Amino acid sequence: MGVFFLVVGYYSSIWTAKRWAKKEINQKAFEKLDLTISDEGFYIANDRKELSTINWESVGNIYETKEFFLFEFVERQISTLPKRVLSAEQQQALIALIQQHFSGAIQSVNK
């Protein structure tokens, strides 16, 4: 009987996620975003040319793993930046920008 509930729970969660993804209001979650990190902060733009700006003072923590950088903002927002989209030179430039503008240290998470 327990296996039955596991199977039903699994398939109902997949069904719920697919329904959520098909709703027009949730399509923003799947948009392509362009991220620019500069001396002023983070600029995030979507395909509809909506722009969001986050300054360096709003960065609470920065984590680095083997696969991505994770930025935790004081507004309780989190943004990830996969390393696979950056060249080695871009990763070094990003680390230099972080060291120049972020008051804390990058926390390494290697798991």
Side-chain angles (χ1 to χ4, degrees):
M1 196 62 154
V3 173
F4 171 76
F5 287 115
L6 286 173
V7 171
V8 169
Y10 173 77
Y11 284 106
S12 68
S13 64
I14 290 174
W15 180 75
T16 301
K18 286 182 178 181
R19 276 189 39 223
W20 180 89
K22 287 181 181 179
K23 289 184 179 179
E24 187 175 331
I25 194 168
N26 297 326
Q27 292 304 303
K28 288 193 283 185
F30 303 102
E31 306 186 300
K32 178 185 172 212
L33 297 176
D34 291 317
L35 171 68
T36 303
I37 303 173
S38 69
D39 290 331
E40 287 77 36
F42 299 75
Y43 299 95
I44 303 166
N46 60 21
D47 290 337
R48 292 172 283 135
K49 305 300 180 210
E50 295 173 334
L51 184 67
S52 179
T53 305
I54 303 170
N55 60 27
W56 282 103
E57 290 78 30
S58 296
V59 179
N61 290 302
I62 299 175
Y63 302 93
E64 180 181 10
T65 72
K66 288 191 286 186
E67 298 176 352
F68 61 86
F69 292 96
L70 185 139
F71 300 93
E72 181 181 26
F73 301 104
V74 293
E75 295 87 11
R76 297 189 182 260
Q77 296 176 334
I78 293 176
S79 182
T80 58
L81 177 58
K83 288 183 173 181
R84 63 181 159 75
V85 301
L86 301 172
S87 67
E89 295 80 24
Q90 289 172 322
Q91 287 183 33
Q92 292 304 317
L94 174 61
I95 291 170
L97 258 177
I98 291 169
Q99 291 171 340
Q100 182 179 3
H101 296 288
F102 180 59
S103 58
I106 299 174
Q107 300 178 39
S108 181
V109 180
N110 294 317
K111 291 189 177 186

